[in-house]
Amino acid sequence: MTVQVDISIHDNRWHTHRWQPTDSNVPVTTVVADAVKTAVATLHTGGCEISVVLANDDFIRHLNRRYGHKDTPTNVLSFVARDAYMVGDMVENLGDIVVAFDTVIRESQQQGKPPLHHCIHLLVHGTLHLLGLNHKTCEDAEQMEGLETHILAKMGIDDPYANTDVI
């Protein structure tokens, strides 16, 4: 299975932020790609392409206003590709995930979590949306949270729902 993760960085703070002292030599783009690939591998047996945009609150607020009809920034947005199609075992494009730096940092501080772990959680969450999961009903939310917790545990990250509300 080939999972291609295309990453665009729209805010230099994604590069310059010191995510964790122990991970200071690992580029954030590597962590982002690994998070998406781990989430995909849990549910998807074919290949795919996913684009990730590492942005800021202004960028994501604009998208949220235009497509979500909410004039506020949010932590993560997922856009499922309308024209996804199969080429052999490869789905050309599942869609896009956009993550807001400012909100990741703010929420991680409010929740007492390492910012990198919160970012990885949001990437996993966004990837699951691209794979067709949602949290519109309580049952759907429970399933999605369980999968997120399982995927994050494989990456050595604690249960994000242990002490917080649903994202």
Side-chain angles (χ1 to χ4, degrees):
M1 169 182 68
T2 301
V3 178
Q4 181 176 332
V5 182
D6 298 317
I7 302 169
S8 296
I9 299 181
H10 287 260
D11 188 312
N12 196 44
R13 293 176 295 170
W14 285 97
H15 283 303
T16 60
H17 183 77
R18 187 169 173 91
W19 291 99
Q20 288 182 331
T22 57
D23 294 331
S24 61
N25 294 326
V26 178
V28 70
T29 52
T30 300
V31 175
V32 167
D34 288 347
V36 171
K37 289 176 181 180
T38 302
V40 168
T42 303
L43 290 177
H44 191 69
T45 57
C48 65
E49 178 182 345
I50 294 175
S51 296
V52 176
V53 178
L54 300 176
N56 55 37
D57 275 3
D58 291 338
F59 188 95
I60 209 165
R61 180 181 184 170
H62 171 76
L63 294 174
N64 205 20
R65 180 175 47 237
R66 182 169 181 184
Y67 300 105
H69 308 292
K70 298 176 185 173
D71 192 16
T72 60
T74 189
N75 50 23
V76 64
L77 290 173
S78 296
F79 297 95
V80 176
R82 292 180 188 214
D83 299 327
Y85 57 92
M86 296 292 288
V87 176
D89 291 335
M90 178 84 171
V91 172
E92 279 301 303
N93 182 10
L94 289 183
D96 306 313
I97 302 168
V98 184
V99 185
F101 178 86
D102 309 276
T103 301
V104 167
I105 299 301
R106 184 175 56 255
E107 287 178 348
S108 65
Q109 290 170 345
Q110 291 168 347
Q111 297 171 16
K113 298 176 182 175
L116 188 61
H117 289 185
H118 187 51
C119 180
I120 291 169
H121 176 212
L122 295 173
L123 289 161
V124 168
H125 183 87
T127 302
L128 293 180
H129 278 303
L130 296 184
L131 292 169
L133 281 85
N134 65 60
H135 41 82
K136 293 179 181 175
T137 68
C138 290
E139 293 82 15
D140 291 341
E142 286 179 20
Q143 178 189 18
M144 198 163 173
E145 289 173 18
L147 281 168
E148 289 170 6
T149 301
H150 172 74
I151 293 164
L152 293 169
K154 290 196 314 189
M155 300 177 75
I157 297 173
D158 293 336
D159 180 353
Y161 298 106
N163 298 314
T164 64
D165 294 326
V166 177
I167 36 178

